[in-house]
Amino acid sequence: MKSILIIICLLLVHSMYAQITVNECIENGLKHRPSIKTAQADLAVAALKSLDAQSKFLPQIALAYEYRYNPIIATQVVPTGLFSGTPTTETQAIRFGTKWQQNAGVTVYQPLIDLSLKSKIKESKINEASANWDLKKAEEDFVFEIIKSYSQILLYQLQSQESASDSVRSYISMAMMEAKFKEGKILKTEWNTAKINHNNNLSAFQKAFSNLINEKIYLNYLTNISLEKLLADSYAPINDFLENTPNNSTFESSIDFQKFLTKEQLLNQQIQTEQTQYRPTLGVQGYIGANQYTQSINPFLANSWFGNSYLGLAVKLPIFAPDKSINLSKQLKKQLTVVENQKEEYKSQKNKDILQNSNTIERLQKEIAFAEKNIALLKENLDIYQARLQTGQLEASELNTQENALQKALVQQLQLKEQLNKTFMDRLYISGNLLEKFKK
C-alpha cells in the first residue's frame, strides 16, 4: 500500500518537471532511424541519376590514341590506266601505309535532337519524385508508429493514475469491512469479497504500470531518446492535435494516392519513350588529330606526323534493334491499366474508410460522455454506500457490488478512450495530414 501511494505522488509530481513532446520524439526518431536514412539515400541516388540523364545532352568528348605495328600492309588495287592520256583498264596493286603507325586525336559529339533522350530525362525526374514519395511514406509510417506509442503512454499513465486511485478507494472499503468483521457485524465472505475487489484494483494498477514501462521502452527504441529521460519526465498531451483534424478530410493529399499518380505518370512517360526509340536523332560530330607513319619504331621522328580533322552533322534513323522488345509498349499499357484499376479501388476503399471513421468517432465520443456520467454517478453512490456502511445502514454485499460495477465502468471507459485515440490517428493517416500535423 505504501508503494502505491509513493507511485501516485510521483505521477502527480511529474507535471512539475520537464515535459516530453510528441514533436521531440518524432524529430529524434527521424534523425536516427536506419530505414529513414535508407530512404534518404535512395532519394539522393535518384537525384544523381536524374542529373546523369540530363548530362547526356552535354558534349561527348573522347580522347583516342593508338600505336600499332602492321606486319602485313594492306594492298589496294588502283586503276592507273585512268590517269594516262588515253584511259585504259590497266590496274596496279599498291601498298598504302608503313610498318609502324600512330593515331592520336579528340572526337566530339554534341546531341542536338534526340526525342528518346529527352523522354528518358523526364523519366528520371519522375523516378526522383517517386523516390521522394517513398521517403515521405517511410517517414509517415514511422511517425504514425511513434504517435501510436506516445498515445499509448498517455493512456497507460491515465490508467495507472486511475487504477491507483481505485486501489486507495477499495482499500478504504476493505478496511471498513475488516472493522465490521472484527465487530461481528458482517460475514467473512463479505470481507473476502472486499479483499478480492481490492486485489483486482491492485492487479489492474500493476498491469497498467507495467504496460506503461514497456511502452516507454518501445518509445526509446523508436526515438533513441534516453530511457532515463523517458521514464522520468512527463508527457505533453496530444488530444488537441488529434481532435482538431477536419471531419471533411479527403484522401487526395495522402502519400499512397500521390504514389499512384506518380506511377501512372511514369508508365505514360515510359510508353512515350518506347515510341521515340525509332525516331531520328541529330547531332554535330567533329574530330581533330594526327597520324604518324614510320618504317621503324620512332615516335618522335620529325616530319612524320600528318594532321587530320572533320566536322559535320550526324543523323541516325534506327530501323531494327534486336535488343529492343517488340511489344514493350503493349506491356506498359497493360501495366498502366492495372495501376488505374488499383487507384480506383483505393479511392473507393478510402471513401468508405473516411465515412466509417467519422461515424465511429461520433459514436465513441457519445459513449465516452455517457461512460463519464455513469462513473461520476457510481463514485457518488460508492461514497454514500461507504458512509451508510459506516453507520450500519447498509449491507456489506451492496458495497462490494457497487465497487465491482465501478471497476467495470472504469475499464470500459479506458477501452473507449483507446479506441477513440486510434480512430483519430487513423483519420489523420487516411487524410494524409499526419506529417503536416506533427513533422515541423
Side-chain angles (χ1 to χ4, degrees):
M1 187 63 205
K2 290 182 179 179
S3 61
I4 294 176
L5 292 173
I6 293 172
I7 293 174
I8 294 173
C9 292
L10 290 175
L11 291 173
L12 295 174
V13 170
H14 269 176
S15 59
M16 298 173 59
Y17 295 95
Q19 278 193 331
I20 295 174
T21 65
V22 66
N23 293 101
E24 178 186 356
C25 293
I26 291 171
E27 183 180 351
N28 277 274
L30 291 175
K31 283 181 181 178
H32 299 97
R33 193 67 174 174
S35 59
I36 302 300
K37 292 181 180 180
T38 299
Q40 290 171 341
D42 289 340
L43 176 58
V45 170
L48 291 173
K49 287 182 177 179
S50 181
L51 290 175
D52 183 60
Q54 295 178 56
S55 68
K56 300 297 183 183
F57 267 107
L58 295 175
Q60 301 171 19
I61 303 173
L63 177 64
Y65 173 78
E66 182 184 35
Y67 197 175
R68 70 186 183 187
Y69 172 67
N70 302 313
I72 300 176
I73 300 174
T75 301
Q76 298 289 335
V77 176
V78 179
T80 56
L82 295 177
F83 300 107
S84 60
T86 302
T88 65
T89 58
E90 180 182 0
T91 60
Q92 184 177 352
I94 302 176
R95 291 181 176 179
F96 290 92
T98 58
K99 292 289 185 179
W100 295 92
Q101 180 179 344
Q102 285 189 90
N103 304 314
V106 177
T107 301
V108 179
Y109 178 75
Q110 173 62 61
L112 296 178
I113 299 176
D114 192 332
L115 299 180
S116 176
L117 191 57
K118 286 185 176 180
S119 186
K120 288 180 179 178
I121 291 174
K122 292 179 180 180
E123 273 187 44
S124 67
K125 285 290 186 182
I126 298 172
N127 280 321
E128 184 180 352
S130 179
N132 186 51
W133 286 120
D134 288 340
L135 172 60
K136 288 184 179 295
K137 179 62 176 174
E139 290 179 341
E140 182 184 57
D141 290 342
F142 184 58
V143 168
F144 187 58
E145 192 66 22
I146 289 177
I147 295 171
K148 284 197 298 183
S149 178
Y150 191 96
S151 180
Q152 282 297 114
I153 287 174
L154 293 177
L155 283 171
Y156 287 144
Q157 279 186 341
L158 177 62
Q159 187 176 359
S160 298
Q161 292 168 354
E162 292 191 354
S163 58
S165 299
D166 294 340
S167 298
V168 173
R169 185 190 62 252
S170 61
Y171 176 79
I172 295 172
S173 296
M174 184 184 69
M176 292 171 60
M177 293 283 191
E178 182 181 10
K180 293 294 182 182
F181 173 72
K182 289 179 179 179
E183 293 173 3
K185 295 181 178 179
I186 64 172
L187 299 175
K188 180 68 179 294
T189 55
E190 294 173 324
W191 182 31
N192 287 342
T193 302
K195 288 192 287 186
I196 291 172
N197 286 335
H198 180 59
N199 289 336
N200 287 338
N201 281 333
L202 287 176
S203 177
F205 170 76
Q206 294 294 342
K207 181 180 178 180
F209 196 71
S210 177
N211 288 337
L212 176 61
I213 298 301
N214 284 336
E215 198 62 43
K216 289 185 178 183
I217 292 172
Y218 182 59
L219 190 62
N220 162 255
Y221 160 74
L222 291 175
T223 64
N224 208 42
I225 297 175
S226 70
L227 185 57
E228 292 78 8
K229 178 177 175 64
L230 293 175
L231 291 173
D233 292 352
S234 62
Y235 291 72
I238 59 172
N239 291 342
D240 290 342
F241 284 100
L242 297 176
E243 296 176 9
N244 289 338
T245 307
N247 287 326
N248 59 346
S249 298
T250 59
F251 60 85
E252 280 82 359
S253 60
S254 69
I255 294 174
D256 285 329
F257 187 73
Q258 293 301 319
K259 288 183 69 175
F260 275 118
L261 297 180
T262 305
K263 187 65 178 294
E264 282 184 334
Q265 188 180 3
L266 178 60
L267 287 169
N268 281 315
Q269 193 61 50
Q270 288 174 334
I271 293 171
Q272 186 175 342
T273 300
E274 181 62 20
Q275 293 171 348
T276 60
Q277 290 293 323
Y278 294 96
R279 301 286 178 86
T281 62
L282 175 66
V284 176
Q285 189 169 349
Y287 172 81
I288 183 170
N291 304 323
Q292 184 202 40
Y293 302 94
T294 62
Q295 294 296 341
S296 60
I297 299 178
N298 192 348
F300 306 104
L301 181 65
N303 301 320
S304 61
W305 285 90
F306 304 92
N308 181 22
S309 67
Y310 67 84
L311 181 66
L313 289 175
V315 180
K316 293 181 181 180
L317 180 60
I319 296 177
F320 177 71
D323 60 324
K324 303 294 183 183
S325 174
I326 59 176
N327 61 359
L328 180 58
S329 182
K330 293 181 180 179
Q331 295 176 32
L332 293 171
K333 288 179 181 178
K334 291 292 184 182
Q335 292 179 30
L336 182 60
T337 301
V338 170
V339 172
E340 289 173 346
N341 290 335
Q342 290 174 340
K343 186 184 73 173
E344 291 304 313
E345 177 65 24
Y346 176 84
K347 288 169 64 177
S348 299
Q349 180 182 346
K350 293 307 172 184
N351 276 324
K352 179 261 296 179
D353 290 344
I354 288 173
L355 292 174
Q356 289 182 333
N357 181 274
S358 298
N359 182 61
T360 302
I361 288 175
E362 184 178 357
R363 173 182 63 82
L364 289 172
Q365 286 176 331
K366 290 179 180 179
E367 287 187 27
I368 289 173
F370 285 127
E372 288 175 347
K373 291 178 181 178
N374 290 340
I375 288 171
L377 293 173
L378 286 168
K379 286 183 177 180
E380 184 179 356
N381 286 347
L382 195 62
D383 290 339
I384 295 172
Y385 282 13
Q386 286 178 340
R388 293 182 64 189
L389 179 66
Q390 192 71 28
T391 58
Q393 302 177 26
L394 182 73
E395 293 292 331
S397 59
E398 296 182 47
L399 180 61
N400 288 329
T401 301
Q402 194 70 16
E403 179 68 42
N404 187 259
L406 180 57
Q407 288 177 0
K408 291 180 179 179
L410 289 169
V411 170
Q412 182 186 20
Q413 181 199 37
L414 288 169
Q415 290 174 344
L416 290 172
K417 287 183 177 180
E418 186 173 359
Q419 292 176 29
L420 182 61
N421 265 11
K422 183 180 181 302
T423 309
F424 274 131
M425 287 188 290
D426 287 341
R427 183 168 69 182
L428 276 174
Y429 191 79
I430 294 170
S431 65
N433 294 323
L434 193 67
L435 293 180
E436 180 184 347
K437 275 274 186 181
F438 289 99
K439 185 187 175 187
K440 302 300 181 181

